[in-house]
Amino acid sequence: MCGIVGYIGESPAAPILLDGLSKLEYRGYDSAGIAVYDGEKIQVQKAIGRLKVLSELTHDGAKMPGAAGIGHTRWATHGAPTNNNAHPHFNGDESIAVVHNGIIENYQKLKKYLEGKGYQFVSDTDTEVVAHLLDYYYKGDPIETITKVMHRVEGSYALGIMFKAHPGILYAVRKDSPLIVGHGKDGNLIASDVPAVLKYTRNVYFIQNEEIAVLSEEAISFFNVDGEEIIKEPSTIDWDINAAEKGGYEHFMLKEMYEQPQTVRDTLNPRIKEGAIVIEELGMSDEEIRGIGRIHIVACGSAYHTGVTAKYVFEGMARIPVDVDLASEFRYRNPILADNDLVIIISQSGETADSLAALREAKNRGVKTLGIVNVVGSSIAREADKVMYTWAGPEIAVATTKAYSAQLIAEYLLAIKFAQVRGEITEQDVRAYLKDLQKLPEQIEMLLGNKGKIQHFANRYISAKDVFFVGRGLDHAISMEGSLKLKEISYIHSEAYAAGELKHGTISLIEEGTLVAAVLTQEELYKKTISNIVELTSRGAFVLAVTNTGNTEIEKAADYVIYIPQTNRWFTNSLAIIPLQLFSYYVSVGKGCDVDKPRNLAKSVTVE
Ligand code: F6R
């Protein structure tokens, strides 16, 4: 996501901020900005696009004198990538400047509150509420002010803050978004990640959740949320820059898999208010939701697979008929669309050519469109009638993992909302579903913690020629994604089949030792799939089963079993995908493939 750098010391701050931000480019961004205290006022310069533009505007920082400053690369979440939305953000009289990484979940409520107090907002961002809230509470003591703000804001944040009234000091605070402090020879730094400070120091402090750091040229001190000073020990960094950019992970794909718990929280939590689902950006009245005749989900690749999952959930839970189409098919098949249908286009990049063309086709037919998109301000986000962002942060590995997981969450939320409005489920059901959804991050963490076992298993299959993924119902949907993950990064041929369909032809491919990954998370289909597994093992297949904890009966039929924690039957795909992602990843690593950049593939497919 966004990148933060701050510096206070003897040297000119702006060049150090620009240099630090350049080391955080890997995090993805679409605009950048720096604020430097010049001895009289806090000067700000922002630019849309690459850092190069900001460097040119500031003559590599020379045009912004001063030895204290904060900088930011913004990956748009709330509000398009514009100059107004770029950070740093100011309070009204420009005496407090703020940079932020994360999502302030209750920003709309806070914004309304502050507007009621006469505060004027100039951006669409959630961050600006922090600048005004700091102003609202400021009575001369920055630490007291920051702790008051921490009590009011919900969500995740890493903040770099400058007060004009305290020019020799930088303040930083974090909760659930990364932030470190670097102790340099001629000054001190804050940053989202280690690479930004490595040129200046290898001595860093890792700020923990709800800790405040206070930096001057000579000293660094830390405080807790009650404003009490705490003592922290520095760590010495002995990694190289490349490893550090991946946060110590060997590949971006692994890093992004590990970001999934946070991604799920970020997509889910801002849409849960007082036990209810609030999707403000949907812009549909209850009457309109009740009037939906049919949903058409259109997407490509993994995004399409989340659409297949969503079909089961929308139909099962909300009883709305759903068609799922590959965008490349939809755009040319002259689909039958009615006025009261809803077309949902799902896309991480928001730039996929076929998905964009499908969106335009639906719009030309006068049908309401909703984009579920990750990249803010992308073409699909701009052109869809309404857009629901997934807030997964930038995805760098070509093979999607965290954006896929975020798309599932967005679709579950829509399905629950629609089901409730249409009277298919009760408020009590909604509360139970939300409780299960909120458990998912922790359950995903647990599954990721199991990687050793999966790595061990994957190493046995690096020379496999063909792998089959089977399941029924929702388990078929997840099999499709499991199969795609494996083939795209390990170049092993794999296919996903509805388990009941195998004996209509494909079972002839099963030989002694053929690996079959079977997914069995749907209790009502469990016995049926076990019968299919027996058909496979009796023809020599080696079966890896992924099933719910407690389904130990499977151990008699399958050769190797991975258990996933219990969740509601509609949400099992969010858990079953984790071992399948890990399996593909470790097969790819074991084969020595280029995990993050598989051959022949591009991250954003902007041609049809
Ligand atoms: C697979 C993968 C692709 C994308 C597909 C759509 O790991 O990433 O299959 O899902 O190219 O891309 P978006 O979501 O950007 O429209």
Side-chain angles (χ1 to χ4, degrees):
M1 278 245 198
C2 309
I4 289 178
V5 180
Y7 172 79
I8 187 149
E10 288 172 8
S11 307
I16 295 176
L17 299 177
L18 290 169
D19 174 66
L21 291 176
S22 73
K23 302 295 187 305
L24 300 178
E25 282 194 295
Y26 73 92
R27 297 169 68 86
Y29 68 102
D30 36 47
S31 59
I34 54 176
V36 179
Y37 179 69
D38 68 3
E40 267 177 43
K41 59 179 191 326
I42 303 173
Q43 267 199 57
V44 166
Q45 183 70 61
K46 304 176 181 183
I48 301 170
R50 310 311 295 168
L51 263 177
K52 214 169 96 207
V53 184
L54 185 63
S55 296
E56 278 165 15
L57 279 174
T58 60
H59 294 181
D60 292 326
K63 269 179 84 180
M64 296 185 74
I70 49 180
H72 189 265
T73 43
R74 174 173 187 253
W75 197 80
T77 56
H78 296 66
T82 62
N83 249 328
N84 269 358
N85 290 335
H87 301 210
H89 286 283
F90 271 136
N91 62 333
D93 67 4
E94 304 193 348
S95 60
I96 303 173
V98 176
V99 288
H100 167 223
N101 169 24
I103 293 177
I104 306 295
E105 291 168 8
N106 59 340
Y107 84 101
Q108 273 159 327
K109 202 165 140 194
L110 290 171
K111 190 169 175 177
K112 236 180 238 159
Y113 176 78
L114 289 164
E115 279 171 341
K117 300 276 174 202
Y119 284 90
Q120 285 180 356
F121 285 75
V122 296
S123 77
D124 308 315
T125 64
D126 50 336
T127 305
E128 200 185 347
V129 298
V130 178
H132 292 305
L133 207 55
L134 285 163
D135 179 278
Y136 178 67
Y137 284 121
Y138 182 69
K139 302 278 178 286
D141 180 345
I143 295 184
E144 188 189 312
T145 309
I146 292 169
T147 56
K148 283 188 174 153
V149 169
M150 289 163 78
H151 284 113
R152 288 296 301 271
V153 296
E154 289 163 18
S156 56
Y157 52 82
L159 296 166
I161 307 166
M162 290 172 78
F163 291 85
K164 196 172 99 179
H166 304 268
I169 306 178
L170 286 190
Y171 297 87
V173 58
R174 68 159 284 224
K175 181 175 160 269
D176 295 335
S177 288
L179 200 62
I180 58 136
V181 170
H183 183 26
K185 263 202 221 88
D186 73 348
N188 293 315
L189 302 107
I190 57 168
S192 299
D193 202 355
V194 172
V197 306
L198 275 185
K199 192 162 151 190
Y200 312 98
T201 182
R202 287 189 168 266
N203 295 327
V204 304
Y205 294 90
F206 292 96
I207 311 181
Q208 300 303 323
N209 268 349
E210 304 198 312
E211 288 179 354
I212 303 165
V214 179
L215 289 75
S216 66
E217 185 183 327
E218 305 85 20
I220 302 170
S221 46
F222 298 94
F223 297 83
N224 66 17
V225 69
D226 297 318
E228 296 159 346
E229 186 159 5
I230 48 176
I231 305 299
K232 290 180 76 72
E233 291 302 319
S235 311
T236 307
I237 300 296
D238 52 9
W239 331 322
D240 69 14
I241 283 231
N242 282 343
E245 283 184 354
K246 292 177 189 139
Y249 291 99
E250 202 181 333
H251 298 101
F252 281 109
M253 183 179 172
L254 188 63
K255 176 170 181 276
E256 287 159 9
M257 283 194 270
Y258 271 80
E259 286 170 351
Q260 288 178 111
Q262 189 58 35
T263 296
V264 168
R265 282 189 198 105
D266 285 343
T267 306
L268 184 64
N269 291 346
R271 284 150 179 146
I272 302 178
K273 308 237 161 82
E274 286 148 23
I277 295 177
V278 181
I279 310 174
E280 273 153 18
E281 61 271 43
L282 185 60
M284 284 176 92
S285 66
D286 286 359
E287 205 183 321
E288 283 173 296
I289 293 174
R290 278 192 283 271
I292 296 171
R294 178 174 287 271
I295 294 175
H296 305 263
I297 299 180
V298 187
C300 301
S302 296
Y304 167 80
H305 295 156
T306 74
V308 178
T309 300
K311 174 181 167 72
Y312 287 103
V313 183
F314 275 114
E315 291 190 342
M317 197 191 279
R319 306 306 295 155
I320 306 175
V322 178
D323 286 346
V324 195
D325 272 84
L326 292 164
S328 52
E329 292 293 314
F330 179 90
R331 62 183 290 194
Y332 295 119
R333 80 168 168 83
N334 194 11
I336 298 168
L337 303 175
D339 288 351
N340 62 341
D341 286 358
L342 173 68
V343 173
I344 302 180
I345 308 283
I346 306 168
S347 176
Q348 187 285 128
S349 62
E351 300 295 347
T352 303
D354 283 320
S355 304
L356 184 58
L359 168 70
R360 289 176 179 158
E361 173 71 19
K363 284 188 77 176
N364 284 342
R365 309 273 203 102
V367 181
K368 199 181 295 288
T369 56
L370 169 71
I372 295 180
V373 179
N374 197 37
V375 177
V376 173
S378 56
S379 303
I380 293 172
R382 284 197 316 267
E383 292 190 28
D385 295 321
K386 297 287 169 194
V387 59
M388 186 173 173
Y389 285 115
T390 42
W391 295 327
E395 209 176 41
I396 293 168
V398 165
T400 182
T401 51
K402 63 175 182 170
Y404 169 89
S405 286
Q407 286 162 359
L408 286 180
I409 298 297
E411 290 157 355
Y412 299 153
L413 285 171
L414 276 177
I416 300 170
K417 176 86 196 164
F418 286 4
Q420 188 189 10
V421 171
R422 293 165 72 106
E424 295 292 340
I425 58 173
T426 63
E427 236 171 74
Q428 213 176 340
D429 296 327
V430 175
R431 274 198 295 276
Y433 287 141
L434 291 182
K435 216 166 146 196
D436 281 325
L437 286 177
Q438 285 179 308
K439 277 192 213 151
L440 288 177
E442 225 170 275
Q443 294 175 321
I444 294 172
E445 258 155 36
M446 203 202 92
L447 286 164
L448 288 166
N450 210 6
K451 69 176 174 29
K453 185 176 170 194
I454 295 165
Q455 180 174 16
H456 180 74
F457 181 81
N459 283 338
R460 286 162 54 183
Y461 279 92
I462 56 176
S463 50
K465 291 252 171 321
D466 307 286
V467 180
F468 296 88
F469 288 76
V470 301
R472 287 166 179 259
L474 276 162
D475 293 333
H476 176 45
I478 204 66
S479 301
M480 295 167 87
E481 177 60 6
S483 167
L484 180 64
K485 282 283 92 66
L486 182 69
K487 70 175 76 135
E488 67 182 328
I489 61 170
S490 75
Y491 319 142
I492 293 175
H493 165 249
S494 76
E495 285 185 60
Y497 267 88
E501 180 64 13
L502 284 169
K503 54 180 158 302
H504 298 287
T506 310
I507 204 162
S508 66
L509 293 171
I510 302 295
E511 307 174 339
E512 197 58 41
T514 306
L515 178 61
V516 179
V519 186
L520 309 88
T521 67
Q522 303 298 300
E523 292 303 324
E524 73 281 10
L525 298 167
Y526 178 64
K527 291 223 152 56
K528 300 272 172 210
T529 310
I530 288 206
S531 306
N532 298 129
I533 289 178
V534 173
E535 288 159 10
L536 289 162
T537 49
S538 58
R539 283 159 181 84
F542 186 94
V543 174
L544 160 72
V546 177
T547 190
N548 305 329
T549 303
N551 285 347
T552 47
E553 193 191 333
I554 187 78
E555 289 180 18
K556 283 189 225 134
D559 299 284
Y560 201 85
V561 183
I562 292 167
Y563 291 102
I564 62 165
Q566 295 283 352
T567 185
N568 186 280
R569 68 182 167 129
W570 300 121
F571 312 142
T572 56
N573 278 190
S574 288
L575 299 177
I577 191 57
I578 305 297
L580 300 183
Q581 288 171 346
L582 285 167
F583 173 69
S584 304
Y585 172 77
Y586 283 116
V587 171
S588 176
V589 171
K591 285 187 72 171
C593 300
D594 189 347
V595 177
D596 286 334
K597 291 197 193 75
R599 69 184 182 207
N600 307 339
L601 294 177
K603 183 69 187 159
S604 183
V605 185
T606 52
V607 291
E608 77 167 290

